[in-house]
Amino acid sequence: MAWEFATEPAFQKKLDWMSAFVREKIWPLETIAEDLDQQALDDIYGPLQQEVKEQRLWACHLPPELGGQGYGQVKLGLINEILGSSPYAPRAFGCQAPDSGNSEILALAGTPEQKERWLRPLLAGELKSAFSMTEPDTAGSDPTLLRTRAVRDGDEYVIDGHKWFTSNGSVADFLIVMAVTDPDEVPHRRASMFIVPTDTSGVRVLRDVPTMEHPQEEFGKVGGHAEIRYDGVRVPAENPLGEEGDGFRIAQHRLGPGRIHHCMRWLGVSRRAFDMLCERATYRYAQGSVLGDKQTVQNWIADSAAQMHAARLMTLHAAWIMDTQGVQAAVQDISLIKFFGAGVLHDVVDRALQIHGALGYSADLPLEAMYRDARAARLYDGADEVHRGSVARRILRDHKPPADEVPTAHVPTRRAAARTRYAELIQASADRGRLSLRSGP
């Protein structure tokens, strides 16, 4: 039996380099990003990405033959914990969403021709991609309800539908579109994935939807969530990823690791907010003492530390299960960390914002942006309620109703059974008690 919580010294050196690199070279970008257009951002990222490649930390989620490092989910989790401290960090390391997930899809289901045409340029940073699944008129928590259709017409497929929250859709060179190919199939065999170049006739990118995360009207910038119409979009018959009906199967391979990375990135955000919370407690003076002397603030610090530690262990354990037993074995653990980690992120950021008062509420600190991002965590990759329901159903499979609906822990029933089982010993004990009373002191 072995329980191991250590990180190999060589890999820890890489993590230490990443931590310093992100803090010194990525965090400053947060303060000027709004002043830069996409071309200026691309110019900044070029040298940063080169440094990362020299450290052999580029696209670590992919196998070596595709330019990655072939790291398992535990190592990728530790990497994403560092990258999560800034929304601008993943792109410098070639693992930004949705490109990272899309590259995994292409690596898993792409043909050799598709990999050459789309995957290799994507990994080289020469192309940008988007994943187009969510629809405004169907529940995102139930992808079996998708309405976007792809109909075979000779040597082409014709795609018609309405999507939104297609992240990076307004800057993407190509989209991976989920569309129904056989509406009469069983729910999880109805849909397929298609590679759709954004310059294809009939692809209409309507807008980037303003959100709590980015409430200002913007268009054509990384981080936006595009609303897109597909009106008679024709793509070659070789553009599906995998076979018809494989869409959900492929999506699950993408979403499992992605959720682990999400949760570790949220821990990176939480740690940054936590450090701000603790710093504020050391110097802000009110009501006769610094805030760190107040019991409420001490509770905030202790509760935040406990929650983050629990979420971290849960997430790394889910990653370990995936590494050692596969994605399917980790399904319940992944759902657990998804809703638990989102709750931890919200709680820690909320406390950090609260201790800073008006300063925390203002845009003079990054906390208000973290707070807006934290709210979205309860929706990304499945609403919390869906994951809670999934966990509960899986747990309930291991339980069955008791006979005659009498709870198995019912004390009178258990007492009667125990008295029957140990009747002789009970009787002997009672006889000794009566004998003792007769004999007196």
Side-chain angles (χ1 to χ4, degrees):
M1 175 179 175
W3 287 73
E4 182 60 68
F5 293 94
T7 304
E8 302 102 319
F11 188 67
Q12 185 59 54
K13 286 183 179 179
K14 290 183 178 293
L15 295 177
D16 293 341
W17 181 88
M18 289 178 63
S19 183
F21 178 85
V22 169
R23 180 181 291 270
E24 295 168 9
K25 299 189 177 182
I26 302 296
W27 286 12
L29 284 178
E30 300 169 359
T31 63
I32 60 170
E34 297 301 324
D35 301 327
L36 304 172
D37 61 14
Q38 190 57 54
Q39 183 59 56
L41 281 171
D42 290 344
D43 292 342
I44 289 174
Y45 273 112
L48 298 178
Q49 291 170 342
Q50 186 56 42
E51 285 190 63
V52 169
K53 291 175 181 177
E54 290 170 359
Q55 292 290 325
R56 299 179 61 82
L57 287 168
W58 179 259
C60 290
H61 57 291
L62 290 171
E65 63 268 22
L66 293 175
Q69 298 303 313
Y71 288 151
Q73 296 305 318
V74 171
K75 285 186 174 180
L76 290 174
L78 295 172
I79 286 173
N80 276 281
E81 183 178 23
I82 295 170
L83 301 185
S85 67
S86 174
Y88 296 94
R91 190 177 169 207
F93 287 78
C95 59
Q96 68 281 0
D99 291 340
S100 58
N102 289 343
S103 63
E104 289 179 309
I105 288 175
L106 287 163
L108 171 71
T111 64
E113 293 77 17
Q114 288 171 337
K115 291 177 182 177
E116 188 64 31
R117 172 68 181 85
W118 303 106
L119 177 56
R120 295 194 181 279
L122 181 64
L123 295 178
E126 298 166 4
L127 296 179
K128 296 182 179 68
S129 69
F131 186 70
S132 196
M133 183 175 79
T134 305
E135 298 176 349
D137 300 319
T138 63
S141 59
D142 186 358
T144 65
L145 300 176
L146 293 176
R147 295 179 184 173
T148 298
R149 288 295 312 276
V151 178
R152 183 70 180 261
D153 182 22
D155 294 332
E156 296 178 315
Y157 281 90
V158 182
I159 301 174
D160 288 279
H162 187 191
K163 302 285 190 180
W164 76 337
F165 277 74
T166 296
S167 299
N168 288 352
S170 66
V171 297
D173 297 289
F174 70 95
L175 308 132
I176 293 180
V177 181
M178 187 90 112
V180 175
T181 44
D182 188 348
D184 298 323
E185 258 283 14
V186 295
H188 289 87
R189 292 290 303 170
R190 294 172 69 237
S192 306
M193 289 186 185
F194 295 85
I195 299 173
V196 179
T198 50
D199 60 1
T200 304
S201 177
V203 176
R204 294 194 294 130
V205 182
L206 305 179
R207 61 172 178 151
D208 277 335
V209 182
T211 65
M212 285 181 66
E213 182 182 3
H214 298 295
Q216 66 278 7
E217 293 277 354
E218 287 189 323
F219 185 82
K221 200 168 184 179
V222 169
H225 305 288
E227 181 176 5
I228 304 177
R229 294 287 316 201
Y230 298 90
D231 297 325
V233 176
R234 290 182 172 270
V235 296
E238 59 266 23
N239 278 35
L241 285 158
E243 301 296 325
E244 277 198 12
D246 280 350
F248 291 105
R249 178 186 65 82
I250 297 170
Q252 287 307 308
H253 281 276
R254 176 187 193 273
L255 290 172
R259 285 168 177 152
I260 286 178
H261 304 165
H262 268 318
C263 291
M264 291 303 290
R265 285 194 292 268
W266 294 340
L267 283 167
V269 179
S270 299
R271 169 57 63 178
R272 192 171 173 186
F274 179 73
D275 288 342
M276 296 167 69
L277 163 65
C278 295
E279 180 185 71
R280 183 72 161 180
T282 65
Y283 73 89
R284 188 64 166 180
Y285 187 90
Q287 305 296 321
S289 66
V290 294
L291 295 180
D293 290 338
K294 316 295 185 186
Q295 187 178 40
T296 293
V297 173
Q298 292 171 350
N299 288 342
W300 287 351
I301 293 170
D303 289 347
S304 296
Q307 285 180 288
M308 289 190 301
H309 190 55
R312 190 172 193 267
L313 290 176
M314 287 172 64
T315 306
L316 291 174
H317 182 245
W320 175 81
I321 292 176
M322 188 179 295
D323 280 345
T324 57
Q325 302 173 44
V327 175
Q328 196 57 40
V331 167
Q332 179 173 313
D333 298 87
I334 291 170
S335 285
L336 279 170
I337 64 171
K338 170 59 180 62
F339 71 78
F340 186 80
V344 170
L345 171 63
H346 172 273
D347 290 350
V348 175
V349 173
D350 183 73
R351 293 169 188 139
L353 193 154
Q354 187 74 5
I355 197 175
H356 284 86
L359 178 59
Y361 186 69
S362 77
D364 283 1
L365 288 179
L367 288 167
E368 59 84 25
M370 292 178 179
Y371 195 83
R372 287 184 276 116
D373 293 351
R375 186 59 185 84
R378 292 176 54 196
L379 297 170
Y380 288 149
D381 286 354
D384 283 3
E385 293 74 16
V386 173
H387 287 284
R388 283 189 168 95
S390 175
V391 168
R393 287 191 297 272
R394 287 178 174 275
I395 290 174
L396 287 173
R397 291 174 191 171
D398 297 328
H399 295 76
K400 60 183 179 180
D404 301 322
E405 296 189 358
V406 176
T408 54
H410 188 242
V411 172
T413 303
R414 292 165 54 216
R415 181 183 294 119
R419 282 174 172 169
T420 299
R421 181 176 182 180
Y422 298 110
E424 293 183 6
L425 292 174
I426 292 172
Q427 184 61 51
S429 179
D431 291 344
R432 286 193 295 272
R434 285 192 293 271
L435 180 61
S436 176
L437 286 174
R438 286 198 296 270
S439 62

